[in-house]
Amino acid sequence: DLNLPDGDGFELVPILKKEKPTAKFAIVTAYNQMQEQTKSQELGAVKIIGKPFTLNDVFTTVSEMLQ
């Protein structure tokens, strides 16, 4: 998520990518704007999921990321 109590997803993705370089990440946010999508992808997140989202949105995103 981009709005966490002790940071945000933009800070977390590079840390996680360093630990697991082959892992794929999706960021969940209520701020589903092009600027957030571009920054997410630059940092290594594969997808951004806008809130509100459905279980099907998550399933579809994870399925796409696993291909």
Side-chain angles (χ1 to χ4, degrees):
D1 201 322
L2 291 182
N3 190 14
L4 300 170
D6 57 349
D8 65 41
F10 288 144
E11 296 169 349
L12 188 57
V13 169
I15 294 168
L16 295 173
K17 289 291 283 184
K18 187 175 181 181
E19 287 288 320
K20 300 286 184 183
T22 60
K24 296 179 181 178
F25 299 93
I27 290 182
V28 176
T29 182
Y31 309 105
N32 194 9
Q33 302 296 322
M34 183 59 83
Q35 181 178 356
E36 283 79 15
Q37 291 179 7
T38 301
K39 187 170 182 180
S40 298
Q41 291 173 343
E42 288 172 356
L43 293 172
V46 176
K47 296 285 270 182
I48 190 164
I49 303 173
K51 292 179 186 176
F53 58 88
T54 65
L55 186 55
N56 190 55
D57 295 332
V58 175
F59 178 79
T60 300
T61 299
V62 171
S63 294
E64 289 172 0
M65 291 170 61
L66 291 174
Q67 292 183 2

